[in-house]
Amino acid sequence: MKKSNRISHTGQAPRSIVTTKDTTKAIETRAGVLQDPPKGAAELKTEVYLQYLGTECSTDDIIAKVKNIWTKDMGKKAEDMKNIRIYLKPEEMTAYYVINEETTGKIAL
């Protein structure tokens, strides 16, 4: 028998396929699902009051005043109001407000 003297044209050694066992562990995940509160559960009602030097103001009253300025004084629609930021300065007895990131003003407490 003659031995074949063939030379590979690629010049690379023949490759072998190696298999390995997958040792990684599966990760179990669980997603939380938001649910409506059970029937009969009372909604939490909050009230915040600012008390300073013998006076008291409710945050609800301050927000109502700002909404009143927006609708009555400025003549704009309530549904056009997207957000309100209120800054309380009790030492000045004043609340500063920013409506929709552009309209500013102040009210006396």
Side-chain angles (χ1 to χ4, degrees), residues 54-106:
T55 61
E56 179 178 282
C57 297
S58 164
T59 54
D60 292 337
D61 293 340
I62 296 169
I63 293 170
K65 287 179 184 178
V66 172
K67 286 180 180 180
N68 190 34
I69 291 170
W70 178 261
T71 55
K72 304 282 188 216
D73 296 347
M74 295 182 183
K76 299 185 180 185
K77 296 179 183 176
E79 49 275 353
D80 291 338
M81 186 181 294
K82 303 298 179 206
N83 61 42
I84 303 171
R85 284 188 288 160
I86 297 176
Y87 302 91
L88 300 174
K89 297 216 45 187
E91 65 274 10
E92 296 176 10
M93 294 304 292
T94 305
Y96 294 89
Y97 60 85
V98 179
I99 302 172
N100 295 344
E101 306 296 329
E102 57 188 35
T103 304
T104 61
K106 65 181 183 177

Side-chain angles (χ1 to χ4, degrees), residues 4 7 10 12 24 31 36 45-46 81-82 85 88 91 96 107:
S4 174
I7 300 174
T10 61
Q12 296 178 351
T24 59
D36 291 332
K45 181 173 166 101
T46 59
M81 186 181 294
K82 303 298 179 206
R85 284 188 288 160
L88 300 174
E91 65 274 10
Y96 294 89
I107 57 172

Side-chain angles (χ1 to χ4, degrees), residues 15-28:
R15 296 184 183 187
S16 62
I17 298 174
V18 178
T19 60
T20 59
K21 184 178 180 182
D22 185 9
T23 58
T24 59
K25 296 189 180 209
I27 299 173
E28 182 180 332

